[in-house]
Amino acid sequence: MGTSGADSISSGADFTRWDVAEAKKIYNLPFNDLLFRAQSIHRAHFDPNAVQMSRLLSIKTGGCAEDCGYCSQSAHYPTGLKASKLMEVERVIAEARKAKDGGATRYCMGAAWRSPKERDMEAIVAMVRGVKALGMETCMTLGMLSLSQTERLAGAGLDYYNHNVDTSERFYSEIITTRTFADRLETLANVREAGIKVCAGGILGMGETVDDRISMLVTLANLPAAPESVPINMLIPMPGSKLADAPPVDPIDFVRTIGLARILMPKSHVRLSAGRTEMSDEMQALCFFAGANSIFVGETLLTADNPGEDHDAALFRRLGLKPMPLGPADMEPAE
């Protein structure tokens, strides 16, 4: 855990408050040194050849009031995506059952909302209970939440709530203007207070600098408790969106970011998330070596393409990787 540098501040046996300058030094280590350090930390906390498998379902697509520049579901951009109503509970549970049969242990449900309305909460709670009854971990991403909403979801048995900070506080307003960085942190605080595990990460390739990426990871690592799950997404430029013409991320820079996430957050699941369709098998292999140990399976992520299960299974065979089993501790609420 932590670092030997003097710029990080130890504040307890399991928590180090990171300094941006020290994190930057680690990020800029010779590539082999960075990967060795990240892999060493990874092995201290996880089986290095086990990868957690999640499945993501869009339970309500399009028509979102937020203006996130990366998103095809925003009503602010002419992406051609038609808005849908909230999916029926029975269908969500049926899809979760198929995901479990396909090897997924965590089921993530996403709705394109600024925040859920009270009229939708009963159905959302029923979805959580139904998926939980299948013996899977449950995760939702519904936009901003009040404390009362998080408490209601916690009562239904929700294991994880995803709410990405997306980028650094400095760069945030360049991507989103309909909410603030502080709004994101407030929802994360509400989720944590309700006893739900936190899933929070960001997106690379939106025009941010390397310093922005480092700052984003330091913000996450310095939360009162690091997120249990940290998805690192590579931007998929969506036609019609603000970032439709964004240039691709340098693969080595992406792997460095994965390695830094592992070092700063040793006990978190670091998810190699959106953008895997644009990654070579070799790039994904380096990400797993750098400490990524979670992926989404299935052919779609909300509205974006994802490698199919056959491709993932072949890659896992080539690398000697295996699905991470779901243990009893994984089903318990965060402390």
Side-chain angles (χ1 to χ4, degrees), residues 110-129:
W113 286 324
R114 176 178 170 82
S115 57
K117 294 181 172 60
E118 185 57 35
R119 65 172 182 262
D120 297 312
M121 288 299 295
E122 183 177 350
I124 291 167
V125 164
M127 291 174 192
V128 173
R129 288 178 174 154

Side-chain angles (χ1 to χ4, degrees), residues 81-236:
L81 186 68
K82 186 177 179 181
S84 70
K85 294 182 179 180
L86 183 64
M87 194 177 287
E88 294 180 355
V89 174
E90 293 77 11
R91 184 181 167 196
V92 172
I93 296 172
E95 293 294 328
R97 188 176 288 108
K98 287 192 286 186
K100 182 182 180 182
D101 292 342
T105 57
R106 183 181 303 169
Y107 201 64
C108 305
M109 295 158 273
W113 286 324
R114 176 178 170 82
S115 57
K117 294 181 172 60
E118 185 57 35
R119 65 172 182 262
D120 297 312
M121 288 299 295
E122 183 177 350
I124 291 167
V125 164
M127 291 174 192
V128 173
R129 288 178 174 154
V131 175
K132 187 86 167 176
L134 298 176
M136 301 181 79
E137 285 183 314
T138 53
C139 179
M140 282 199 156
T141 179
L142 311 168
M144 295 184 291
L145 292 180
S146 67
L147 182 56
S148 64
Q149 287 174 324
T150 58
E151 289 172 342
R152 192 167 174 187
L153 290 171
L158 185 66
D159 295 296
Y160 284 82
Y161 192 77
N162 166 256
H163 201 60
N164 291 336
V165 296
D166 292 334
T167 188
S168 70
E169 184 172 10
R170 182 202 72 83
F171 191 65
Y172 191 84
S173 62
E174 297 292 320
I175 303 301
I176 303 160
T177 66
T178 50
R179 61 170 180 255
T180 66
F181 195 79
D183 290 334
R184 300 301 255 182
L185 297 182
E186 181 180 0
T187 289
L188 293 179
N190 289 339
V191 168
R192 182 66 75 190
E193 186 172 341
I196 300 170
K197 293 177 182 178
V198 170
C199 175
I203 305 171
L204 276 58
M206 301 189 294
E208 76 286 346
T209 65
V210 167
D211 284 354
D212 288 317
R213 297 169 189 170
I214 295 169
S215 176
M216 174 189 73
L217 293 179
V218 168
T219 294
L220 294 172
N222 284 347
L223 290 172
E228 284 82 358
S229 182
V230 182
I232 305 296
N233 301 272
M234 188 168 75
L235 178 72
I236 302 174

